[in-house]
Amino acid sequence: DSLIVDLKIKEAKKRGAKVVSINSSEIKKTKHADLWLNSNSGNSGEILNEASRLLIKNNLVDSIAANKIKNLDSASLELLKK
């Protein structure tokens, strides 16, 4: 599973994707990240939801990709409907 994720990250980066790691500790996948956000333990989900909301609000992600984000909060989903 981890190898598959690593491969998908590397493939996405080759296509120009930027990778942000949100974690309270530096993990193996952090080495692939363009940015590592060292969050407080338990805050990663909140940071991800806010980042997702901002990306959607500023039209930096399409609705198809946004719908694939698991646990995206309802406020962010409402932005997609506009």
Side-chain angles (χ1 to χ4, degrees), residues 1 16 40-41 46 75:
D1 184 45
N40 292 328
S41 184
E46 292 174 33

Side-chain angles (χ1 to χ4, degrees), residues 45-65:
E46 292 174 33
I47 293 170
L48 179 61
N49 270 336
E50 184 61 19
S52 300
R53 189 186 69 76
L54 289 171
L55 289 169
I56 293 166
K57 182 179 178 181
N58 293 299
N59 295 317
L60 297 172
V61 64
D62 63 38
S63 60
I64 295 169

Side-chain angles (χ1 to χ4, degrees), residues 20-24 35-39 43-45 47-48 51:
V20 178
S21 176
I22 305 170
N23 204 307
S24 58
L35 175 65
W36 170 38
L37 298 177
N38 186 2
S39 65
N43 288 350
S44 296
I47 293 170
L48 179 61

